[in-house]
Every structure is written in structure tokens, then in C-alpha cells.
Amino acid sequence: MTKVMTLGQFIIERQAEFPYAKGELSRLLRDIGIAAKIVNREVNKAGLVDILGEAGTMNVQGEAVKKLDVYANDQFISALQSGGECCLIASEENEDVIQINSEVSRNAKYIVAIDPLDGSSNIDVNVAVGTIFSIYRRKTESGPCTKEDVLQKGVDQVAAGYIIYGSSTMLVYTTGHGVNGFTLDPSIGEFCFSHPNMQFPKSGKMYSLNEGNYVHFPEGVKKYLKYCQVEDKETNRPYTSRYIGSMVADIHRNMIKGGIFIYPTTASSPKGKLRLVYECNPLAFIVEQAGGRATNGFTRIMDLNVKEIHQRTPIFIGSEEMVLKAEEFMREFS
Ligand code: AHG
Ligand code: MN
Ligand code: MN
Ligand code: MN
């Protein structure tokens, strides 16, 4: 019987590597893990309980909000509010930041940016969805945190992670010392250490993008797409197209098998669709820590200036050699 190590045990063991830390980040990761288990329980029952379908409201993104978007958002916010380690939250589902002013949290060290339910369009059709989170240290010395505390570059993240609610439920995260994956064992209700030191394959054969937007893609993306589809035995082409519509699921699959995910500018999203603060920066941190690459086609995602909570950016992310090749086309045809 191999020794099972739970997320909690792993965090404590790794905690020993950071003597200066007093355990706040560990407790914050634990709080996120608890909310993830609660959301997972509802995702797994979706269809049996009244959690499918639209909530009947629009969010700041102009998207029709799903009941599970609201449920997940509520669960993560309440776990962070009661955990006491977070003083401010930025969520996809909230137009403005959420200050946590309780006695215990007002002076907490950490800020959390979160996409509580990624891939909402897949909820009602039983396809993998996810949660994405990003953790920063507060910049303001004391007193209530403000929006400025969350508008930090991706390079300043302290930790980032995602949960994928798929054929199994996994929590994958980094604190800047590599990427580790934990699989939920529902029989004991614990995330168990299953994927040590995850590495993004340097190259791959899969490309993930919504080709329905082809007509409005930048010329460089069109040329890269054709490059992927041309027969060339030496470079393993044509590649394979795989697109799930949940960023977490597409990137998780590519991290295991190798591949590139691209969401470029399109007619309906002239600045790109995906959000820098709670989708692109956390996933870029994880992918870079696993040896992959993440840019907007020209500039490293984690170096981009952050001006707005819901700021959008084009993103090219995945196997280093594939992203570099796509960037060559972007430079040549821009
Ligand atoms: P969210 O459900 O959090 O709004 O994110 C959905 C995102 C991302 O998960 C996915 O890759 C992308 O939207 C899919 O967009 P298209 O349907 O336009 O391809
Ligand atoms: Mn959304
Ligand atoms: Mn999302
Ligand atoms: Mn979302």
C-alpha cells in the first residue's frame, strides 16, 4: 500500500522549507482546498439538484451567469472570509473587489484573485470545468486593502493554482518552487498527492483554439494554424486539434500531453477574451513553473501591466517550442 500524502500533510512538510513563513499561506491553501471539495460535491450532483442552468443575471463580463457560477463564487468567498488569511478578493463574478474587514482578516497578508467556475458554458453538458486562483501579498502596509493591492503584475504572485472538476477532481498549484498535483479521493474526502513536480513537455502535437473565430484571427495566428495543419513527417505535422472550451481543462491536458492553447484577439474580443488577473496570470505562473511558456504573442503574460481587475489579454500558452513557433508567425505577420 503506497503511503498516501494529503494536501494538508504536503503543505506542512513543504512549510518546513520556508522557516520565515508562519503558516498563513498554508492555511490559505487549506481554505481554498475546502471550498474546492464543497464545489466538487455540487458539480458531481449537477443534474440531481437545482444547480444547472442560468441564474437569470448578467455579470460584469456581459455573460449570462450560471447557477453554478454563483454557487462556486459564494463558496470560495465564504471560505476565504472565514479563513482569516485573506484581506481582499477579486472575482470574475464581482465587478469590484471584495474587502474583508473583519477583525481577524483586516490585517491579513494575502490577496486572492479567483475565477470561481471556469468553463461555465460546459456545466449543463457535463464537460470538465475548473476553478482558477492567484495569490498576492498585500502591498499596503496596514489598514484595509484596496483595489491597488490586487493590480499587481503576474511576476509578483506568491502562489497560483487551479482545480479541474473532470473525470477525477484535481488541485494543481505552485508557490514558485515547481508544480504539484493532488487528486481528490472522494472515499476519504482528501486531495492526495498524485502528480509530483509536473513538467510541461517542451513540444507537442496538439493545438487548442476556437477555430470558429478564424476569419477575424490576426494574420500570424492564421499562418500558424496553417503551419499546424500542413503535412511534414519530420516535425510530426499535421498536429491534432483539441478544444474543450474550459481553459483549465485544455491547459491541464496540454500540460500532461504537450500542446499549445491560443485565445487571440477576435471580432467579439478585440483585446482577447481571457482575463489577465484571474485566468491568464495564474495559469501562466503554473505553466512557466512547469517549464512551459506564456505570452500575448509578443510579451510575457506575467510582465504585463495590470490596470483593471477584469482586463483582458490575448494568450499563447503551453509547450515552449510551440509557443515560440507561434510567436515567430506573430512577429513576421504583424
Ligand atoms: P469562464 O467560464 O470563466 O467565463 O471562462 C470561459 C473561458 C475559458 O474557460 C475558455 O477557454 C473560453 O472562455 C472559451 O471561449 P469560447 O467559447 O469563446 O471559445
Ligand atoms: Mn464567465
Ligand atoms: Mn474562466
Ligand atoms: Mn468563470
Side-chain angles (χ1 to χ4, degrees):
M1 159 77 172
T2 48
K3 183 174 170 306
V4 163
M5 179 183 279
T6 66
L7 174 64
Q9 289 164 330
F10 179 88
I11 290 172
I12 291 166
E13 263 201 24
R14 286 296 161 98
Q15 172 67 37
E17 291 170 11
F18 311 111
Y20 59 83
K22 293 192 285 307
E24 294 103 326
L25 181 60
S26 307
R27 283 191 294 275
L28 184 53
L29 288 166
R30 174 212 61 199
D31 298 339
I32 291 172
I34 292 167
K37 287 191 264 190
I38 296 170
V39 170
N40 176 69
R41 186 186 59 199
E42 290 312 294
V43 167
N44 283 353
K45 287 190 305 193
L48 297 174
V49 294
D50 180 22
I51 199 92
L52 292 178
E54 318 264 314
T57 54
M58 297 290 271
N59 64 11
V60 64
Q61 323 286 338
E63 301 165 340
V65 177
K66 301 277 190 167
K67 287 179 191 155
L68 202 55
D69 281 321
V70 174
Y71 181 83
N73 199 38
D74 293 348
Q75 290 307 319
F76 281 99
I77 288 173
S78 62
L80 292 169
Q81 280 173 327
S82 51
E85 303 302 345
C86 167
C87 63
L88 188 106
I89 303 169
S91 166
E92 178 201 353
E93 303 303 333
N94 295 72
E95 181 159 8
D96 206 347
V97 291
I98 301 160
Q99 284 184 337
I100 305 174
N101 275 327
S102 63
E103 199 55 41
V104 70
S105 298
R106 180 173 307 125
N107 296 314
K109 253 164 83 172
Y110 294 109
I111 313 287
V112 176
I114 190 158
D115 176 358
L117 211 289
D118 177 63
S120 308
S121 61
N122 283 329
I123 295 169
D124 297 355
V125 296
N126 212 357
V127 170
V129 293
T131 297
I132 311 168
F133 62 89
S134 171
I135 301 174
Y136 289 93
R137 207 172 272 106
R138 64 186 291 165
K139 287 193 303 189
T140 43
E141 291 304 310
S142 60
C145 288
T146 67
K147 188 190 292 190
E148 295 319 304
D149 281 295
V150 80
L151 302 179
Q152 300 186 44
K153 282 188 177 183
V155 283
D156 293 325
Q157 290 175 95
V158 171
Y162 61 79
I163 295 100
I164 176 168
Y165 311 97
S167 40
S168 68
T169 294
M170 278 190 70
L171 186 149
V172 173
Y173 82 98
T174 183
T175 56
H177 301 267
V179 178
N180 291 292
F182 300 79
T183 302
L184 183 65
D185 178 343
S187 68
I188 58 172
E190 289 283 3
F191 280 107
C192 300
F193 191 27
S194 55
H195 294 62
N197 193 22
M198 296 178 81
Q199 296 295 315
F200 216 113
K202 286 298 174 195
S203 194
K205 274 184 59 82
M206 262 185 254
Y207 63 94
S208 313
L209 80 171
N210 182 341
E211 296 184 56
N213 298 315
Y214 179 84
V215 169
H216 298 289
F217 280 162
E219 197 54 28
V221 172
K222 290 181 177 175
K223 293 284 191 249
Y224 178 66
L225 201 44
K226 290 308 152 211
Y227 168 85
C228 293
Q229 293 163 347
V230 157
E231 181 106 26
D232 177 299
K233 291 263 180 293
E234 244 173 63
T235 52
N236 270 329
R237 287 179 288 149
Y239 294 154
T240 298
S241 171
R242 284 282 183 280
Y243 191 69
I244 299 173
S246 295
M247 187 180 191
V248 167
D250 276 314
I251 291 176
H252 181 76
R253 181 209 51 245
N254 289 350
M255 182 146 71
I256 308 275
K257 298 200 164 185
I260 182 172
F261 174 93
I262 302 176
Y263 207 108
T265 56
T266 64
S268 52
S269 306
K271 291 195 177 132
K273 172 180 181 182
L274 299 171
R275 285 58 56 115
L276 180 57
V277 171
Y278 42 78
E279 290 174 317
C280 298
N281 264 331
L283 289 171
F285 189 18
I286 294 163
V287 168
E288 283 196 7
Q289 279 290 311
R293 183 177 173 84
T295 69
N296 64 3
F298 305 96
T299 308
R300 186 183 179 214
I301 290 287
M302 294 213 289
D303 286 338
L304 294 176
N305 279 324
V306 183
K307 296 191 190 60
E308 281 305 319
I309 305 171
H310 303 293
Q311 177 175 335
R312 298 172 191 262
T313 176
I315 185 164
F316 296 63
I317 183 170
S319 294
E320 185 178 37
E321 288 167 17
M322 298 180 85
V323 175
L324 286 168
K325 176 57 86 176
E327 287 169 10
E328 271 179 41
F329 284 97
M330 289 302 282
R331 278 193 302 276
E332 190 181 339
F333 295 96
S334 62

